[in-house]
């Protein structure tokens, strides 16, 4: 299959191209597009065959349900049977935005889209090009991240092109994304709403609007055998080719440990990568050191995480040592992705 790539500015996009992309979606094809979180791989959410094509293009296990992207609240009413009051409040506060909510699904949503579940995950993205595409495509776009399953999520069109060229109909390149980590997912099935995946909208931001919120125990105790409630969170994910280990503790101890680990592997003849920050990169004399961002702006760390993991794949390192990033606002989301990429390998110093 030939994949057409169309480059445009997010604020000033080519309306004709969006119409063409919308037509592809309505006819059952696949289009990758930017959102504010990561690039999505879109297909018509109400078309079971389109959902199958998404799973196939990504190599994604078909029990891992897709998120449906909508552009207005009327669309929500059609795909769910019930909207809890707290979900309405959160939609008022954070939609369009990086928040996905789980609802009981209505009959028009095929099980092929929801991985056989009777609930459906829904989000309204905060990106002009994504919203225009959803409208042009018929209102309901199922879109997981536009990467090969297991690889780091795509934050630039080049990442999508690397993984999906020849496998999908079109890629809309709207430049790099703004946030760089996937949406927060919240579920209302229990008395106290539960975060199934942490993201830019953190616990405090949710609690400010709806009161107490819990975090799925399967996320906190990721290696304890408790299954996460979001089916997708159980898979190894975002993984670079190299073995990644995260080192956590006081900054000086972390730096010393990473220097020691890097030196040992380099002595054994391996190439080693190090994930540092603008502040700490000079502390590492050996290894291929990459700056993920600055601790003065944690958003920069979130934004570059997936891209850096991909860069290390291109430089053939065998081991990567990363500092931990338990930053105040997005630390939970950043560490969730980083530790998943590391297969939960963490050294405490
Ligand atoms: P991605 O499409 O890569 O952003 O991943 C979507 C995430 O949403 C996966 O972790 C899914 O397991 C989760 N998800 C989607 N639909 C549901 C649902 N109905 N219930 C719980 N989790 C869901
Ligand atoms: Mg994904």
């Amino acid at each position: 299959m030939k994949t057409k790539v169309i480059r445009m500015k997010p604020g000033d996009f080519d309306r004709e191209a969006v119409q063409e992309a919308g037509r592809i979606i309505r006819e059952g094809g696949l289009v990758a597009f930017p959102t504010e979180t990561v690039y999505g791989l879109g297909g018509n959410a109400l078309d079971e065959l389109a959902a199958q094509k998404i799973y196939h293009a990504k190599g994604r296990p078909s029990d891992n349900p897709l998120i449906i992207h909508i552009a207005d609240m009327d669309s929500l009413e059609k795909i769910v049977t019930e909207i809890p009051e707290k979900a309405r409040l959160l939609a008022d506060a954070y939609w369009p935005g990086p928040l996905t909510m789980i609802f009981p699904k209505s009959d028009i949503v095929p099980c092929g889209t929801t991985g056989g579940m009777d609930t459906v995950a829904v989000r309204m993205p905060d990106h002009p090009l994504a919203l225009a595409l959803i409208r042009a495509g018929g209102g309901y776009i199922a879109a997981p991240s536009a990467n090969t399953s297991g690889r780091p999520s795509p934050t630039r069109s080049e990442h999508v092109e690397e993984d999906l060229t020849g496998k999908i109909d079109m890629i809309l390149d709207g430049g790099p994304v703004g946030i760089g980590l996937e949406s927060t997912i919240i579920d209302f099935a229990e008395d106290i709403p539960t975060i199934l995946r942490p993201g830019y909208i953190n616990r405090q931001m949710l609690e400010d609007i709806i009161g107490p919120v819990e975090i799925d125990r399967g996320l906190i105790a990721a290696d304890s055998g408790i299954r996460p409630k979001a089916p997708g969170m159980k898979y190894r994910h975002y993984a670079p080719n190299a073995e990644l280990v995260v080192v956590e503790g006081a900054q000086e101890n972390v730096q010393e440990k990473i220097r020691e680990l890097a030196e040992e592997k380099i002595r054994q003849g391996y190439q080693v990568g190090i994930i540092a920050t603008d502040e700490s990169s000079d502390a590492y004399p050996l290894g291929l050191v990459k700056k993920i961002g600055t601790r003065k702006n944690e958003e920069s760390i979130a934004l570059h995480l997936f891209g850096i993991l991909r860069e290390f794949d291109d430089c053939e390192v065998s081991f990567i040592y990363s500092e931990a990033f338990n930053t105040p606002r997005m630390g939970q989301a950043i560490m969730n992705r980083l530790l998943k990429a590391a297969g939960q390998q963490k050294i405490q110093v």
Side-chain angles (χ1 to χ4, degrees), residues 58 60 145 147 153 182 237:
K58 281 180 61 81
R60 177 174 174 121
S145 48
N147 53 311
S153 297
E182 305 86 342
H237 222 159

Side-chain angles (χ1 to χ4, degrees), residues 5 29 49 80 135 139 142 149 253 273 275 297 327 348:
V5 183
L49 284 174
V80 308
R135 294 196 179 99
S149 196
N253 300 348
I275 303 182
N297 173 12
T327 58
Q348 197 76 40

Side-chain angles (χ1 to χ4, degrees), residues 3 18 27 42 46 93 119 188 218 229 275 278:
T3 302
V18 173
E27 288 167 2
L46 307 186
T119 53
F188 302 95
K229 286 195 186 127
I275 303 182
D278 290 358

Side-chain angles (χ1 to χ4, degrees), residues 58 60 64-67 102 114 117 119-121 143-145 182 185 196-197 229-233 237:
K58 281 180 61 81
R60 177 174 174 121
N64 184 0
L66 308 176
I67 294 172
I102 311 285
T114 63
M117 299 180 79
T119 53
V120 61
S145 48
E182 305 86 342
I185 303 180
L196 306 189
R197 177 172 74 185
K229 286 195 186 127
M233 298 304 279
H237 222 159

